Amino acid sequence: MAKIRIKDIAQQAGVSVGTVDRVLHNRGEVAKKTKNKILEIAKANNYQPNLIARALKSKKESVFVSLLPTPTQDDIFWKKPLNGINDAASEHEQFQVAVENFFFEYNNNQDFINQTEAILAINPSGVIFSPIFTKESLKFTQQLAKEGIPYVFMESKLKDSNYLAYVGSDAYQGGRVAANIIDFGLQKNDDILIVNMAKNLENVLHLNKRTQGFLSYFMDKGKNEGLKINLEISSSDSKQIKNRLDSVLKTNKNIKAIFTTGSKAYKLAKYLQKENLNNIILIGFDPIEQNIKYLNNGAINFLIGQHPYQQGFKAFKKLYDHVILNHEITKDEILPFDIINQECINLYQF
């Protein structure tokens, strides 16, 4: 059935197009009998207003804000969701929507706080951010709620908040996926090293959740019964990584696998190659350029992909659909994991 137009409703109701427009968009007084007749015709024909055209007529520009860690050579992962956000913004700029990107130094919670204050000062129409620091992010969500600013999480989410939507993977389940892969490659009594590159793991939401998921797998169903050794490294500095790994691996020769909860598996792979520790399974997250290099030469065995570009792109779309089009949206959009090894990396779509 062809989509009904305002002109068609006017003809069926025997009124002018202007009268139908006033009723459908609540722009003026219309006799109750006429109004009811127009609404009944619209409902019977499943009339949907052209919201995109309405957005084009809007005189006020909506400004969305993103808040992400600064993409650096060490944290190149964050370029992908940023590109997704910016590409989505470019596609919608004709609808009077703009995006401003704010950045904070990874592992620097005070810098995160400073950026949230700057964001609140400009009173944006919506916010996209990754709640890396649990306490600070929760406070930020409370401030956004107070100002009536909708926000969308990506990469991880805070359950104790009234977020508009979440786009990303399940961090806890990601840890279980990694555990399942490692479990296939180990003997029953082999030990496993879990490496978190974070200053305060308990306050770094996504890494903490992955660690919990990893350990839960072995409590539930894992065949491996060896030690699960947690190692926190507060910096990605190569010297510090070497010192910390030396102290663990050279005193525990039974460690046969390493799981790192973030995207810097290449830092560990570089160490393992230099120390000729080629018999240790290494698994981490994200097919960034540095990780792919070590995946291809065999130092990294598996990477878990979580579609960061799509996270950014879809997060922007969630805000757009809610703020501009007033659409109902799916609250949680959980993206699948990709298990990537040397055999399939050339086929992987980034």
Side-chain angles (χ1 to χ4, degrees):
M1 184 174 67
K3 182 178 179 180
I4 195 170
R5 302 166 298 173
I6 287 181
K7 180 180 179 181
D8 302 322
I9 296 173
Q11 289 177 344
Q12 290 186 38
V15 297
S16 70
V17 169
T19 300
V20 175
D21 183 77
R22 288 197 298 275
V23 170
L24 296 179
H25 300 106
N26 197 27
R27 288 174 178 157
E29 292 297 324
V30 176
K32 185 176 180 180
K33 183 177 179 181
T34 302
K35 181 177 180 180
N36 289 341
K37 185 176 183 181
I38 290 170
L39 291 175
E40 286 174 6
I41 294 170
K43 183 178 180 181
N45 289 276
N46 194 29
Y47 170 76
Q48 296 293 327
N50 190 338
L51 295 173
I52 291 178
R54 187 185 300 176
L56 279 168
K57 294 178 182 178
S58 173
K59 295 180 180 179
K60 182 180 177 182
E61 182 178 66
S62 296
V63 177
F64 297 157
V65 162
S66 73
L67 177 59
L68 300 174
T70 304
T72 64
Q73 195 59 28
D74 261 3
D75 289 315
I76 199 170
F77 166 82
W78 296 103
K79 284 185 66 176
K80 294 185 180 295
L82 177 63
N83 289 342
I85 291 169
N86 288 337
D87 285 353
S90 294
E91 287 190 11
H92 295 84
E93 62 185 358
Q94 62 180 310
F95 305 128
Q96 287 77 53
V97 181
V99 65
E100 292 191 23
N101 300 308
F102 287 71
F103 304 98
F104 62 93
E105 182 184 344
Y106 195 81
N107 279 338
N108 187 336
N109 55 349
Q110 184 57 51
D111 193 23
F112 177 86
I113 293 170
N114 294 342
Q115 297 306 312
T116 64
E117 291 173 352
I119 289 170
L120 289 166
I122 68 172
N123 192 33
S125 303
V127 175
I128 301 164
F129 79 108
S130 178
I132 290 176
F133 304 114
T134 304
K135 294 177 183 178
E136 293 79 4
S137 294
L138 189 57
K139 181 179 179 181
F140 184 37
T141 63
Q142 292 167 349
Q143 293 169 321
L144 291 171
K146 183 179 179 181
E147 299 298 326
I149 301 171
Y151 55 93
V152 175
F153 289 138
M154 49 157 285
E155 205 270 336
S156 58
K157 65 178 179 178
L158 291 168
K159 291 183 178 179
D160 298 327
S161 61
N162 189 26
Y163 60 96
L164 173 67
Y166 168 66
V167 181
S169 56
D170 184 321
Y172 183 88
Q173 201 63 35
R176 290 184 65 91
V177 169
N180 180 240
I181 296 169
I182 283 179
D183 202 30
F184 277 107
L186 296 182
Q187 299 297 316
K188 181 178 179 180
N189 295 315
D190 290 339
D191 295 339
I192 302 172
L193 180 65
I194 305 167
V195 177
N196 284 285
M197 295 188 193
K199 287 184 178 180
N200 179 9
L201 178 60
E202 287 302 314
N203 198 39
V204 182
L205 182 62
H206 63 299
L207 303 188
N208 189 32
K209 287 292 185 182
R210 288 172 187 168
T211 301
Q212 292 175 5
F214 187 85
L215 294 173
S216 76
Y217 176 86
F218 290 103
M219 289 188 286
D220 292 346
K221 57 170 64 172
K223 297 175 183 177
N224 177 268
E225 297 178 1
L227 295 175
K228 311 298 182 293
I229 303 167
N230 279 290
L231 179 65
E232 288 187 35
I233 304 177
S234 61
S235 167
S236 59
D237 176 72
S238 297
K239 289 184 178 179
Q240 184 174 157
I241 290 173
K242 175 175 168 52
N243 290 338
R244 299 302 308 278
L245 290 177
D246 279 350
S247 66
V248 175
L249 294 175
K250 292 185 177 180
T251 57
N252 189 334
K253 304 294 184 181
N254 196 44
I255 292 175
K256 302 299 181 185
I258 298 176
F259 166 55
T260 182
T261 54
S263 60
K264 298 175 185 174
Y266 67 95
K267 296 272 188 179
L268 307 182
K270 184 177 181 180
Y271 168 87
L272 294 177
Q273 282 197 332
K274 284 187 175 181
E275 300 298 321
N276 293 316
L277 297 172
N278 302 317
N279 63 331
I280 295 180
I281 296 170
L282 176 58
I283 183 170
F285 283 82
D286 306 310
I288 59 175
E289 182 180 343
Q290 299 100 316
N291 283 343
I292 292 171
K293 172 185 172 181
Y294 286 99
L295 182 74
N296 282 328
N297 69 26
I300 296 175
N301 300 92
F302 292 95
L303 292 169
I304 299 174
Q306 49 183 337
H307 303 277
Y309 178 89
Q310 288 299 320
Q311 289 188 40
F313 192 95
K314 288 174 176 286
F316 184 96
K317 276 284 292 169
K318 295 280 188 185
L319 272 183
Y320 174 81
D321 288 348
H322 173 76
V323 174
I324 305 301
L325 300 186
N326 199 29
H327 281 175
E328 290 187 12
I329 60 173
T330 303
K331 189 174 182 69
D332 289 329
E333 186 168 349
I334 307 301
L335 302 181
F337 291 111
D338 293 323
I339 300 173
I340 306 161
N341 64 11
Q342 197 177 74
E343 303 304 318
C344 69
I345 185 62
N346 291 332
L347 304 175
Y348 188 73
Q349 297 295 315
F350 298 101

